[in-house]
Amino acid sequence: MAAAGALAGRAVTIVGAGIGGLTAALALARRGAAVTVLERAGALREVGAGIQVSPNAVRVLEALDIGRDFTAVSVPSHGVTLRDAAGARVLHMDFDRWRPGAAFRTVHRARLIAVLDDAARAAGATILLDTPVETLPDAGLLIGADGLHSRVRVALNGTETPFFTGQAAWRTLVPLEDAASFGAQVFMGPGRHMVSYPLAYGLRNIVAVEERAAWTAEDWSRPDDPAALRAAFADFGGPVPGWLSQVTDCAVWGLHRHRVAPRWHDDRRAILGDAAHPTLPFLAQGACMAIEDAWVLAACLDADADQPRALARYQALRRPRCVRIVEAANANARNYHLSGPRRRVGHTALRLADRLAPRAVFERFAWVYDHDPTAVA
Ligand SMILES: Cc1cc2nc3c(=O)[nH]c(=O)nc-3n(C[C@H](O)[C@H](O)[C@H](O)COP(=O)(O)OP(=O)(O)OC[C@H]3O[C@@H](n4cnc5c(N)ncnc54)[C@H](O)[C@@H]3O)c2cc1C
């Protein structure tokens, strides 16, 4: 990518080296900016579990020339199969059939971070670990990619209190069985559901969500006893008992709802990723939105030397889409957990759709996956 735009030679400081911060570092450095990333963690490549990456985000990775590296550490996802708690099929969304050639993939978060980290450094970005930001530095351009508890978001929007959704989620990894099919499966029971998909390197990712009254902390890395996870899903059938019998450690966190930040920038600061729009995980778009943001932010800044105007354009291009995605994820949370007669009616409708118009269900989400952020900006 030629560095002839408005970013050439400009200094940019990014707080946070998660998926959003590293993608931004890469996108900005490729356009000639002098990028410094400040990350409080001492090591980048260890945390997290699986992430589903859909074509809307893969288009950005490809435009950043890391498509091949990403493919090497990820596996394809052929579709999403919704099942009832016993394991019987309710509906299948066939990615291969409805979008042949589009890249739906799954990856371990740490592997994606490693690809982004290597590419950002190779493009000239400086990434400083063990560098927690307590007071926001006075920089010509400061980007807050500092996640859920973003200080930059607070500086722009004030403090807001999220509310507990009444749902707790476990995440864990188990060994991948032989002859596993590559795609996501969602098992839906009253008040609970489980999502699972294979990752590369012989791993299966599991996220299991249960409704509960008591508050659970919003912290990805809080360990829990695997027996609690097994007990919550003891009446689930199909492959679930076999998977859960292999869990040796798991983490649990409380799902909270946050507003999409009303204000994403001032003249010298901007936010992206979870800092701007934390989402429930039910559309698997948290990391994808962060990747999209990073590209669009870099493109807007590069296209217009008037920084305040470029940042306003960035928010205008991104916020409506992120609001729509966050709302769609909220709606999925309700639909997965139906109970009683509503559940019977809902599942019957989906089974009918599976038989009569399977493509229609997939097409309802086409606006998520067909989007090309590299064409927008
Ligand atoms: C530990 C962890 C595990 C996750 N696991 C999954 C998963 O398994 N599946 C999934 O779909 N999503 C997962 N996510 C969420 C998903 O990665 C995010 O939705 C998406 O990646 C958004 O990324 P982000 O870069 O905006 O924020 P984050 O990934 O949260 O990155 C923010 C970064 O900023 C750093 N930071 C924060 N405050 C400061 C500060 N004051 N000074 C310096 N650095 C700071 C953090 O250490 C972190 O590295 C996980 C997130 C985290 C943090």
Side-chain angles (χ1 to χ4, degrees), residues 290-306:
I291 291 169
E292 291 185 0
D293 288 346
W295 173 277
V296 174
L297 177 59
C300 288
L301 288 165
D302 206 29
D304 189 348
D306 182 330

Side-chain angles (χ1 to χ4, degrees), residues 58-200:
V58 175
R59 287 183 189 108
V60 171
L61 303 181
E62 285 167 352
L64 289 171
D65 259 346
I66 52 170
R68 233 188 302 171
D69 298 327
F70 171 65
T71 300
V73 297
S74 59
V75 292
S77 174
H78 299 306
V80 175
T81 309
L82 303 184
R83 299 185 181 280
D84 62 21
R89 168 168 159 166
V90 173
L91 178 130
H92 178 66
M93 289 202 273
D94 192 333
F95 297 156
D96 288 349
R97 192 160 163 216
W98 308 132
R99 285 298 181 280
F104 289 86
R105 303 190 71 85
T106 59
V107 67
H108 193 293
R109 181 178 180 275
R111 301 274 180 178
L112 176 55
I113 289 277
V115 167
L116 292 167
D117 183 31
D118 288 343
R121 287 177 198 271
T126 302
I127 298 167
L128 304 176
L129 303 181
D130 267 327
T131 311
V133 172
E134 307 293 345
T135 308
L136 297 184
D138 191 14
L141 177 55
L142 181 74
I143 295 174
D146 46 347
L148 210 51
H149 305 292
S150 167
R151 282 167 194 259
V152 187
R153 174 182 172 132
V154 171
L156 292 171
N157 293 275
T159 308
E160 290 173 90
T161 313
F163 74 89
F164 178 50
T165 60
Q167 295 169 328
W170 288 272
R171 69 178 164 82
T172 187
L173 296 168
V174 295
L176 188 61
E177 65 277 14
D178 291 339
S181 68
F182 286 86
Q185 302 192 62
V186 183
F187 299 82
M188 305 175 293
R192 284 157 303 156
H193 82 275
M194 177 182 293
V195 180
S196 181
Y197 46 84
L199 301 173

